[in-house]
Amino acid sequence: MRLFFMTPLAALALSACSLTPPLVKPAAPIPASYGEVSASDSAADLGWRQMLLDARLQRLVDIALENNRDLRVASLNVEAVRAQYQIQDAGRTPAIGANAGGVRQRGADAVTQNQFTAGIAMSAFEIDLFGRLRSLSDAAFARYLATQQGQRAAHMALIGAVADAYLEQRLAEEQLALARQTLLDWRQALVLTQRLHGAQQGSGLDVAQAQGQVATAEADVQARERASALARNNLELLLGAPLPTDLPPGRALDGQPVLTQLPPGLPSDLLARRPDILQAEYALVAANAEIGAARAAFFPRLSLTASLGFASPELGDLFRGSARSWSFAPQVTQPLFQGGQLRAELQLSRLRKDVAVLQYEQAIQAAFRDVRDGLAGSATYAQQIDAQQRVVAAAQQRLRLSQLRYDAGQDSRLELLDAQRQSYAAQQALLDVRRDQFKSAVALYKALGGGLEE
């Protein structure tokens, strides 16, 4: 009994050697700053409720985090990989089971014999002399951590996707409202033009131009209605549920639904805040650990099989001291010839590590580019919106003057139509730019690692 229980402890004590090479992470292939932009704070410290200022949008994000199927799949993947790690790690400890049985047989000599057994046994436990099992367990644990980071990245991506879809819906609704109001105005103008033509104060050309303008507005309304329906469908897909009827009112695009001025912090912050970078880093750790397992496969494997129990031809005498039995069977296996398989597996593990290094560097570079793109948008959208507002003001002023000149008979109907189209297009363009500004701010927030805190 004492020998049986001491053997696993001694085996675990021997499992101290590891052939996994030291992991040296490559230097981050990015500059130390974002150019002229520098800040001690980072937008990643802002909770997403501080970033998304619209109460309606906040409610939608809450619903999506609870119901979105992709996020659920990501969470289940974490649980699945954790179970895989537990399975792999269990191989480092002995598996001990209890057994009991009996055999009754009759031989050629017509004598009936009985044999009863009971005991506990350890079957083929591998002593991890060279760290093969430990390396495989480390690799499995690193992949579990990588999957956790993937789930966090999915969480952030979902918040950003809901915000983008909501902004698209707000844009579609506001553009639809503008298109409907414009259609109403142009229909009234068509009625007036037809009356003037009936009174022989206008030409048929004026009527045809007004009819074409109304038809154009009708087509645009249909396009905006379709865009609004598609935006709603996309939003409901992200939510994983229909839009509730009790949502709070939303902010207009000119009502600042999203914070746009964000401190970027330092590029080095990305290494600790971006889940996709951490995911690539853990994948690198796993690939490095698999090199240790591939190296250890060249060395002998020592496995133990042992049992302790009782055996007796009589069931009543099974647990007497004289019926005690035990067995101890160590086995050593040394690879001799496998057609180059072990060397190929080692080479493959090294190549996978090289790939993981490149993927880690790519993740860092992509994150840096995302932030730079967001900062470029943050630096220019405000000025672009200001300029577009001046375009709208100038177009509306031109429309007022053209209407006055047309009513006074100083301008043709064609000049008035052009002024109306210009004013309408300028207002629609302003809505587009506002939407783009907020989407750029959301992208920058996500690029900096924001969205994990509430």
Side-chain angles (χ1 to χ4, degrees):
M1 178 73 74
R2 185 177 182 182
L3 173 64
F4 180 76
F5 284 108
M6 288 300 294
T7 299
L9 297 177
L12 292 175
L14 290 173
S15 304
C17 179
S18 175
L19 299 179
T20 301
L23 177 61
V24 180
K25 291 190 296 184
I30 53 176
S33 67
Y34 297 113
E36 298 179 358
V37 179
S38 61
S40 57
D41 298 327
S42 173
D45 296 322
L46 292 174
W48 59 261
R49 293 186 187 276
Q50 297 172 279
M51 173 65 188
L52 309 179
L53 306 176
D54 191 323
R56 187 182 184 93
L57 176 54
Q58 292 177 359
R59 175 77 183 281
L60 293 175
V61 170
D62 281 330
I63 296 172
L65 292 177
E66 182 178 354
N67 296 298
N68 182 264
R69 299 317 190 259
D70 289 336
L71 190 59
R72 287 186 183 181
V73 169
S75 299
L76 291 176
N77 284 338
V78 172
E79 297 302 317
V81 176
R82 180 170 65 177
Q84 291 175 346
Y85 160 66
Q86 291 172 340
I87 293 171
Q88 182 65 58
D89 192 56
R92 299 178 60 194
T93 57
I96 300 174
N99 61 78
V103 177
R104 182 180 177 86
Q105 63 182 7
R106 183 174 182 177
D109 55 1
V111 176
T112 301
Q113 296 179 340
N114 298 323
Q115 182 69 19
F116 301 96
T117 60
I120 57 177
M122 177 181 69
S123 177
F125 167 60
E126 180 179 344
I127 299 179
D128 199 17
L129 294 175
F130 300 98
R132 188 183 73 88
L133 297 179
R134 177 182 175 183
S135 295
L136 291 175
S137 177
D138 290 344
F141 183 64
R143 296 202 183 281
Y144 161 62
L145 296 178
T147 310
Q148 275 190 325
Q149 296 302 324
Q151 192 270 342
R152 297 175 74 219
H155 179 102
M156 291 169 48
L158 177 60
I159 293 175
V162 171
D164 287 347
Y166 175 73
L167 292 170
E168 289 292 347
Q169 186 190 39
R170 295 300 303 165
L171 173 69
E173 290 176 349
E174 293 190 27
Q175 288 185 329
L176 175 60
L178 176 60
R180 285 172 173 169
Q181 182 60 50
T182 300
L183 175 60
L184 179 62
D185 294 341
W186 289 358
R187 280 176 173 170
Q188 291 175 348
L190 172 60
V191 171
L192 179 60
T193 302
Q194 289 172 332
R195 289 176 179 174
L196 291 174
H197 178 62
Q200 297 184 347
Q201 295 182 7
S203 66
L205 178 61
D206 290 343
V207 174
Q209 290 173 338
Q211 289 174 335
Q213 188 178 37
V214 168
T216 300
E218 290 174 341
D220 196 39
V221 166
Q222 295 301 314
R224 303 300 179 183
E225 287 181 347
R226 181 174 62 253
S228 179
L230 294 177
R232 180 187 180 93
N233 294 341
N234 185 42
L235 187 56
E236 288 186 342
L237 177 63
L238 290 171
L239 297 185
L243 284 177
T245 58
D246 60 344
L247 289 173
R251 296 190 184 187
L253 289 178
D254 61 358
Q256 191 74 357
V258 173
L259 188 65
T260 56
Q261 298 301 317
L262 300 173
L266 297 173
S268 58
D269 295 338
L270 300 178
L271 304 182
R273 295 183 182 272
R274 285 274 298 234
D276 55 340
I277 294 179
L278 294 174
Q279 185 177 12
E281 181 177 339
Y282 284 126
L284 174 58
V285 173
N288 189 66
E290 288 172 349
I291 294 178
R295 284 178 171 179
F298 285 88
F299 293 89
R301 297 186 189 180
L302 174 61
S303 61
L304 298 178
T305 299
S307 65
L308 174 66
F310 301 89
S312 172
E314 299 294 335
L315 184 60
D317 297 332
L318 180 60
F319 295 102
R320 294 182 182 274
S322 58
R324 182 178 299 172
S325 66
W326 62 269
S327 68
F328 178 71
Q331 182 180 5
V332 177
T333 303
Q334 169 64 55
L336 294 178
F337 177 75
Q338 295 186 353
Q341 176 182 343
L342 296 181
R343 291 189 180 278
E345 289 176 349
L346 177 58
Q347 179 65 14
L348 178 60
S349 64
R350 288 171 173 166
L351 290 173
R352 285 174 174 168
K353 180 192 173 181
D354 292 341
V355 171
V357 169
L358 294 176
Q359 291 174 335
Y360 176 65
E361 293 177 335
Q362 284 179 330
I364 296 174
Q365 290 174 332
F368 183 78
R369 184 206 62 195
D370 291 344
V371 175
R372 291 290 296 271
D373 289 348
L375 291 174
S378 178
T380 56
Y381 271 117
Q383 290 85 346
Q384 184 180 0
I385 288 175
D386 179 69
Q388 188 63 35
Q389 286 175 329
R390 296 197 302 272
V391 171
V392 170
Q396 290 176 335
Q397 175 68 6
R398 179 196 174 191
L399 176 59
R400 286 192 293 270
L401 295 176
S402 294
Q403 185 69 55
L404 291 174
R405 292 177 61 84
Y406 175 75
D407 293 342
Q410 296 179 353
D411 275 345
S412 66
R413 176 73 183 177
L414 184 61
E415 173 65 23
L416 177 60
L417 290 178
D418 186 61
Q420 290 173 332
R421 293 191 189 102
Q422 184 187 38
S423 176
Y424 176 63
Q427 292 178 75
Q428 294 283 22
L430 178 59
L431 292 174
D432 281 330
V433 178
R434 289 191 186 279
R435 181 274 319 270
D436 291 342
Q437 180 192 33
F438 296 131
K439 291 184 69 172
S440 175
V442 171
L444 176 59
Y445 178 63
K446 187 173 64 174
L448 292 169
L452 293 174
E453 300 297 332
E454 187 169 338

